[in-house]
C-alpha cells in the first residue's frame, strides 16, 4: 500500500552476545546443579553419619536402662523359684529380700500378692533407714490394678506403665510383675523401681547444641522431655494433635509399634524441622527417641555450600570473559562466510564460497557447504522417486484391499436358501487389509457351511494367508459333513507350505437345514454364541484343538448342537472382545453378552451391527488395534422368514 511504513525488523543478536547468553545459561545450570548435587550427596553422607552417631548413642542409653531392668527381672525370677519351693520361713524370706535391696540400689519395694480367694492381703517389703521391713496391704483392691491383673490373666511376666504408689513409697514407680505359685496357691510377685531411673539416663543425652532425648511408654505417654509440663500429662499423640502435625502422629505410631528408625519431621506451627532417631527397649517395648534440629545436624553442610558458591561464582566470571573475547574474534573471521550463506539462502545454490581463512573449523565448514550443495540436488531427485514409489505401493494396497473384500460373501443377493437360513457378516480390518476372514456357502441344497477365522499377524502377509485359507475351504468343503476333517486338511496345508503367518484360529460349522442339526469345531478361537428369540443366550467356549498351523498331527474334535427355528448363531474374532477403551480397559465377554441379551430382535444384520456399534462406542471411535469380524446366522427352520 502506498505510503505504508514497513514493520521494523527485529534486531538479531551478535554471535558474541548469543554465546555469552548461552554460556551464562549453561553455567548457571551447571553451577546450580553442582550445588544441588553436592547438597544432596554430602547431605546424605552427613545424615548417614548422624544416623550412626545417634544410633550408637541411643543404643548406649538403652543398654544402661536395660541393665537395671534385666537385673530386676533376674532378681524376680530367683525369688519366684524360691517361693515355689516353699522352703523359706518369713525370717529367711525377709533376709533374702534384704540382700536383693543391697545388691540392686534401683529396687525400691517388693510385693507378694496371693489370689484374693485365699483371703490373705498382699505383703509389701521396703528398705527403710537401712533396714528391710514388711507390712500387709490391708484394704487395697490390688486385684484390679494392672500390675496384678495383666500377669494374672495372661500368666506371663509384665512391665507396667508408670503408676503412682500412694500406699507405700509416694513415688511414681515402674513395676515388673510375674505370676508365682505359693503353697499350691496362685499369686503375683511385683518388684518396683523408680521412674527416675529411666528419666535420669534419658536426661543425660546432650548432643549438638540443643539436641535432647525423649522416652515414651508403649502407649505413647511422655516420660522424659525437656518441657517438664509434658511429663506424665501428655502422650506423644496429644502433642501431635496440639501442633496439628500428621507426620508427628505417624511418627508416634511407628515408635509405639516397637520399630527402629531415623525420620525427618518438617517444620510445623513454629516447631522447627527436626530429625528423630528412635529405638525400642527390648525389655518392655518403651521407646527412646533422640531429637536434633535439622539446622544443627546440617550446619557444616551449609558452610560448605557457601564456600562452593563463591568459588563457582569466581570461575563463572572468568569463563564468561574469556568466551566473550574469543567470540568477537570468531565473528570477524566468519563474516565473509555468512555473506555467502545469505546468497545461498536466497536460492542461489551455485554461489561460490569465498576464500576461507586457514582455520580448521572454517575449512570443515566450507567443505560441508559444498557437500550440502551437491546433496541438495540428489535429495530433490530422491524425494521425487520416493513419492512415486509410495504412490505405487499405496495403489497396490488399495487393490489388495478390494480383492480381499471381494473374497468374503456379500450380504445381499446371496445364492443361499432363503427359506432356511439368513446370514450377515461384517469385516473391518485394522488397516487397509487384514488377517480376519468369514465365509458361508451351501455344500448342497440342504447343507450350509460357515467359518470365521483369525490369521496371526496383520498386513499383506496375513491377508495372503487369509486368501489362501478362504480359497482352500471352498475347494475342500463340498462333499464333507464333518468340520474336523476339513480343518485337518487346512492344518496340513499350513504346515506343508510353511507360511510366515501360518497360525490360524477358526470356527467351522456345518448345518443340516432340514433338521437344524449343527456340527462345529473350534480350533483355538473365541466362543460361539446362540441366541434364541426369547434372548436366552447359550455360550460354547470349549475349544476342540489348538490353533491350526502349530502341530503336524493335530487331533481335532467337534460338537453337535440342535437349532430351533429363530435361533441366531453369533461368531466373531478377538478384535471385538479385545477392543480397548481410552482407559485401556478391554471390551470383554461380559459387555458382548450384555449386547446379545438386549437385542431388540435377533435378525442377523441387527445383531452384527449392534455388536459393532457397541465396540465403536466403547473405544470412542478410536482406530482399533486388531481386525474385527462378526458373523450372525439365523436358522429359520421350515420357511419362517426373518424380519429385519
Amino acid at each position: 500500500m502506498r505510503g505504508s511504513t514497513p514493520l521494523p525488523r527485529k534486531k538479531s543478536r551478535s554471535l558474541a552476545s548469543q554465546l555469552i547468553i548461552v554460556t551464562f545459561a549453561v553455567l548457571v545450570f551447571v553451577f546450580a546443579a553442582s550445588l544441588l548435587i553436592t547438597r544432596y550427596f554430602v547431605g546424605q553422607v552427613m545424615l548417614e553419619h548422624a544416623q550412626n552417631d545417634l544410633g550408637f548413642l541411643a543404643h548406649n542409653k538403652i543398654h544402661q536402662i536395660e541393665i537395671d531392668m534385666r537385673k530386676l527381672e533376674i532378681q524376680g525370677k530367683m525369688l519366684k523359684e524360691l517361693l515355689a519351693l516353699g522352703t523359706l520361713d518369713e525370717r529367711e524370706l525377709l533376709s533374702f529380700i534384704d540382700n536383693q535391696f543391697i545388691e540392686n540400689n534401683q529396687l525400691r519395694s517388693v510385693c507378694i500378692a496371693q489370689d484374693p480367694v485365699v483371703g490373705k492381703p498382699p505383703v509389701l517389703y521396703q528398705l527403710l533407714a537401712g533396714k528391710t521391713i514388711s507390712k500387709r496391704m490391708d484394704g487395697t483392691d490390688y486385684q484390679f490394678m494392672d500390675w496384678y491383673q495383666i500377669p494374672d490373666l495372661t500368666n506371663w511376666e509384665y512391665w507396667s506403665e508408670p503408676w503412682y504408689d500412694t500406699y507405700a513409697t509416694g513415688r511414681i514407680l515402674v513395676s515388673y510383675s510375674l505370676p508365682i505359685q505359693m503353697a499350691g496357691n496362685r499369686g503375683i510377685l511385683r518388684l518396683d523401681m523408680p521412674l527416675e531411673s529411666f528419666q535420669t539416663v534419658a536426661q543425660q543425652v546432650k548432643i549438638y547444641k540443643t539436641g535432647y532425648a525423649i522416652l515414651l511408654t508403649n502407649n505413647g505417654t511422655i516420660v522424659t522431655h525437656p518441657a517438664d509440663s509434658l511429663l506424665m500429662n501428655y502422650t506423644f499423640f496429644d502433642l501431635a494433635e496440639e501442633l496439628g502435625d500428621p507426620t508427628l502422629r505417624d511418627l508416634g505410631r511407628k515408635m509405639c509399634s516397637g520399630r527402629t528408625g531415623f525420620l525427618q519431621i518438617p517444620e510445623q506451627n513454629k516447631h522447627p524441622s527436626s530429625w528423630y532417631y528412635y529405638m525400642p527397649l527390648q525389655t518392655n517395648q518403651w521407646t527412646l527417641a533422640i531429637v536434633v534440629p535439622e539446622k544443627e545436624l546440617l550446619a557444616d553442610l551449609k558452610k560448605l555450600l557457601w564456600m562452593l558458591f563463591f568459588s563457582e561464582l569466581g570461575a563463572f566470571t572468568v569463563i564468561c570473559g574469556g568466551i566473550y573475547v574469543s567470540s568477537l574474534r570468531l565473528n570477524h573471521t566468519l563474516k565473509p562466510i555468512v555473506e555467502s550463506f545469505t546468497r545461498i539462502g536466497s536460492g542461489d545454490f551455485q554461489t561460490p564460497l569465498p576464500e576461507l581463512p586457514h582455520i580448521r573449523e572454517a575449512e570443515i565448514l566450507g567443505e560441508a557447504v559444498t557437500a550440502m550443495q551437491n546433496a541438495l540436488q540428489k535429495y530433490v531427485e530422491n524425494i521425487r522417486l520416493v513419492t512415486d514409489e509410495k504412490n505405487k505401493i499405496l495403489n497396490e494396497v488399495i487393490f489388495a484391499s478390494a480383492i480381499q473384500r471381494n473374497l468374503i460373501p456379500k450380504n445381499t443377493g446371496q445364492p443361499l436358501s432363503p427359506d432356511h437360513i439368513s446370514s450377515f457378516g461384517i469385516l473391518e480390518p485394522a488397516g487397509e487389509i487384514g488377517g480376519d476372514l468369514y465365509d458361508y456357502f451351501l455344500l448342497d441344497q440342504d447343507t450350509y457351511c460357515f467359518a470365521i477365522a483369525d490369521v496371526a499377524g496383520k498386513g499383506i502377509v496375513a491377508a495372503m494367508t487369509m486368501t489362501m485359507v478362504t480359497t482352500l475351504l471352498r475347494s475342500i468343503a463340498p462333499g464333507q459333513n464333518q468340520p474336523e476333517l476339513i480343518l485337518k486338511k487346512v492344518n496340513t496345508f499350513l504346515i506343508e507350505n510353511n507360511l510366515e503367518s501360518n497360525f490360524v484360529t477358526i470356527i467351522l460349522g456345518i448345518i443340516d437345514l432340514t433338521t437344524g442339526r449343527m456340527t462345529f469345531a473350534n480350533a483355538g478361537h473365541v466362543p460361539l454364541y446362540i441366541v434364541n428369540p426369547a434372548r436366552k443366550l447359550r455360550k460354547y467356549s470349549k475349544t476342540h484343538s489348538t490353533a491350526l498351523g502349530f502341530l503336524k498331527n493335530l487331533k481335532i474334535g467337534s460338537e453337535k448342537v440342535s437349532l430351533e427355528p429363530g435361533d441366531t448363531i453369533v461368531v466373531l474374532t478377538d478384535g471385538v472382545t479385545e477392543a480397548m477403551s481410552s482407559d485401556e480397559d478391554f471390551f470383554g465377554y461380559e459387555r458382548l453378552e450384555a449386547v446379545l441379551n438386549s437385542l431388540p430382535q435377533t435378525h442377523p444384520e441387527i445383531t452384527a451391527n449392534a455388536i459393532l456399534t457397541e465396540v465403536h462406542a466403547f473405544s470412542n471411535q478410536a482406530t482399533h488395534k486388531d481386525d474385527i469380524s462378526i458373523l450372525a446366522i439365523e436358522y429359520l427352520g421350515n420357511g419362517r422368514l426373518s424380519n429385519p
Side-chain angles (χ1 to χ4, degrees):
M1 181 182 295
R2 184 182 299 272
S4 62
T5 303
L7 294 175
R9 183 179 178 182
K10 185 178 179 180
K11 186 177 181 180
S12 59
R13 296 187 179 93
S14 66
L15 177 62
S17 62
Q18 292 188 42
L19 284 174
I20 289 295
I21 292 172
V22 172
T23 303
F24 179 83
V26 171
L27 289 177
V28 167
F29 173 79
V30 171
F31 291 160
S34 66
L35 287 173
L36 292 175
I37 292 172
T38 301
R39 185 186 187 285
Y40 175 78
F41 285 104
V42 175
Q44 291 298 312
V45 172
M46 295 183 70
L47 287 175
E48 184 177 347
H49 284 297
Q51 181 177 0
N52 293 335
D53 293 342
L54 296 178
F56 177 79
L57 179 60
H59 184 272
N60 181 48
K61 294 303 177 182
I62 287 176
H63 181 68
Q64 292 182 36
I65 295 173
E66 290 198 331
I67 286 177
D68 292 334
M69 297 177 71
R70 294 191 184 280
K71 190 172 182 180
L72 200 71
E73 287 184 346
I74 293 172
Q75 290 177 312
K77 291 174 182 178
M78 289 174 56
L79 184 55
K80 174 182 177 179
E81 295 297 328
L82 289 174
L83 294 173
L85 293 174
T87 57
L88 297 179
D89 56 24
E90 181 61 30
R91 183 182 58 80
E92 292 172 331
L93 179 59
L94 189 65
S95 175
F96 179 82
I97 294 176
D98 182 63
N99 290 331
Q100 300 306 306
F101 282 126
I102 295 172
E103 292 178 5
N104 185 1
N105 58 5
Q106 298 297 333
L107 181 62
R108 287 292 178 267
S109 55
V110 176
C111 179
I112 300 175
Q114 298 189 54
D115 193 324
V117 176
V118 178
K120 294 181 179 180
V123 180
L124 182 71
Y125 298 87
Q126 286 182 278
L127 183 65
L128 296 176
K131 181 179 180 181
T132 300
I133 64 171
S134 65
K135 60 180 177 179
R136 296 187 178 277
M137 300 170 59
D138 294 313
T140 59
D141 294 330
Y142 63 92
Q143 68 270 26
F144 302 113
M145 296 182 178
D146 286 349
W147 63 263
Y148 183 91
Q149 192 174 38
I150 293 178
D152 182 57
L153 293 174
T154 62
N155 199 32
W156 193 251
E157 56 191 52
Y158 168 70
W159 277 95
S160 72
E161 293 286 303
W163 62 286
Y164 185 70
D165 181 17
T166 59
Y167 184 82
T169 62
R171 304 176 69 178
I172 298 177
L173 302 176
V174 178
S175 299
Y176 171 65
S177 305
L178 62 167
I180 60 174
Q181 290 286 335
M182 294 180 60
N185 296 318
R186 297 175 56 193
I188 299 298
L189 172 63
R190 189 191 84 210
L191 290 84
D192 307 319
M193 60 187 301
L195 181 62
E196 292 93 329
S197 300
F198 297 84
Q199 293 173 324
T200 301
V201 175
Q203 289 168 351
Q204 291 172 352
V205 173
K206 303 295 180 184
I207 188 167
Y208 295 95
K209 292 182 179 179
T210 61
Y212 60 91
I214 59 176
L215 186 64
L216 307 178
T217 68
N218 51 22
N219 66 3
T221 300
I222 299 175
V223 174
T224 302
H225 195 280
D228 293 338
S229 60
L230 300 178
L231 301 185
M232 301 303 297
N233 294 322
Y234 277 76
T235 67
F236 198 80
F237 302 103
D238 295 331
L239 182 61
E241 192 69 29
E242 184 174 301
L243 294 174
D245 190 348
T247 57
L248 206 61
R249 189 182 307 113
D250 183 60
L251 172 62
R253 283 193 290 266
K254 291 179 180 179
M255 290 193 293
C256 290
S257 64
R259 303 182 192 177
T260 297
F262 185 54
L263 185 67
Q264 180 193 22
I265 299 300
E267 182 177 357
Q268 184 79 12
N269 292 337
K270 298 183 180 181
H271 184 272
S273 177
S274 302
W275 283 87
Y276 283 71
Y277 186 94
Y278 52 94
M279 178 182 289
L281 279 70
Q282 297 301 317
T283 304
N284 63 350
Q285 295 302 304
W286 288 13
T287 297
L288 178 70
I290 300 178
V291 186
V292 180
E294 185 177 44
K295 65 179 181 180
E296 297 179 13
L297 200 66
L298 302 178
D300 292 339
L301 175 61
K302 186 177 180 180
K303 295 178 182 178
L304 175 64
L305 291 177
W306 277 113
M307 293 173 59
L308 183 61
F309 171 77
F310 285 114
S311 63
E312 288 184 349
L313 183 62
F316 172 81
T317 304
V318 173
I319 292 173
C320 285
I323 291 177
Y324 179 75
V325 174
S326 299
S327 62
L328 288 178
R329 295 178 58 187
L330 180 60
N331 187 48
H332 177 74
T333 302
L334 295 179
K335 185 176 181 179
I337 302 175
V338 171
E339 293 174 352
S340 297
F341 282 1
T342 302
R343 292 194 296 271
I344 294 174
S346 65
D348 185 5
F349 297 129
Q350 304 299 325
T351 299
L353 293 179
E355 183 178 354
L356 300 174
H358 295 291
I359 300 175
R360 180 58 182 160
E361 288 75 10
E363 293 175 352
I364 293 174
L365 183 60
E367 294 172 358
V369 172
T370 301
M372 179 188 68
Q373 290 174 314
N374 296 330
L376 280 173
Q377 297 177 354
K378 294 181 180 179
Y379 178 74
V380 172
E381 179 63 20
N382 288 337
I383 288 292
R384 184 185 65 79
L385 294 175
V386 169
T387 302
D388 292 342
E389 186 67 22
K390 180 180 178 181
N391 291 334
K392 181 180 178 181
I393 293 173
L394 181 60
N395 290 333
E396 291 175 352
V397 170
I398 294 173
F399 181 71
S401 176
I403 293 175
Q404 182 184 37
R405 293 183 181 276
N406 287 331
L407 287 174
I408 63 176
K410 303 296 185 295
N411 291 311
T412 59
Q414 49 190 325
L416 301 180
S417 173
D419 294 335
H420 296 88
I421 204 84
S422 176
S423 308
F424 190 88
I426 295 174
L427 172 61
E428 278 196 0
E432 289 292 335
I433 53 178
D436 278 8
L437 70 89
Y438 73 84
D439 201 358
Y440 51 86
F441 49 89
L442 290 173
L443 299 180
D444 55 45
Q445 190 62 31
D446 296 323
T447 310
Y448 173 88
C449 179
F450 69 90
I452 189 165
D454 187 354
V455 180
K458 298 182 181 68
I460 295 177
V461 175
M464 291 177 63
T465 303
M466 183 276 282
T467 302
M468 287 186 283
V469 171
T470 303
T471 305
L472 182 63
L473 284 176
R474 290 258 180 172
S475 65
I476 63 176
Q480 297 285 348
N481 59 4
Q482 298 182 31
E484 62 268 29
L485 297 180
I486 299 174
L487 295 185
K488 283 185 178 180
K489 292 182 179 181
V490 175
N491 183 66
T492 301
F493 171 81
L494 294 172
I495 295 291
E496 291 179 350
N497 287 277
N498 195 24
L499 302 176
E500 184 173 344
S501 288
N502 62 337
F503 302 145
V504 179
T505 65
I506 185 170
I507 291 180
L508 189 141
I510 297 175
I511 303 174
D512 187 331
L513 298 178
T514 60
T515 64
R517 192 71 170 174
M518 178 178 73
T519 305
F520 73 95
N522 184 333
H525 203 72
V526 296
L528 174 147
Y529 290 90
I530 297 178
V531 188
N532 69 9
R535 311 302 186 272
K536 184 176 181 181
L537 186 65
R538 287 180 286 168
K539 179 179 180 182
Y540 297 86
S541 56
K542 177 182 178 182
T543 57
H544 306 106
S545 74
T546 61
L548 305 183
F550 277 105
L551 303 174
K552 185 174 182 181
N553 297 317
L554 182 64
K555 293 183 179 180
I556 305 176
S558 64
E559 189 170 346
K560 296 183 184 296
V561 178
S562 293
L563 300 175
E564 297 295 332
D567 284 352
T568 298
I569 304 163
V570 179
V571 288
L572 39 84
T573 58
D574 58 8
V576 173
T577 56
E578 294 180 4
M580 190 175 292
S581 68
S582 57
D583 296 329
E584 297 188 354
D585 188 18
F586 289 110
F587 186 78
Y589 292 105
E590 290 185 4
R591 290 185 177 89
L592 171 63
E593 292 165 11
V595 174
L596 296 177
N597 283 323
S598 61
L599 290 171
Q601 50 182 299
T602 57
H603 184 271
E605 183 175 356
I606 294 175
T607 301
N609 283 322
I611 296 172
L612 185 64
T613 299
E614 287 297 323
V615 171
H616 284 171
F618 177 77
S619 58
N620 198 21
Q621 298 297 331
T623 302
H624 42 264
K625 296 182 180 180
D626 200 359
D627 305 329
I628 291 178
S629 292
I630 305 168
L631 176 60
I633 304 163
E634 183 179 9
Y635 175 64
L636 304 177
N638 295 321
R640 184 183 64 81
L641 294 178
S642 176
N643 297 316

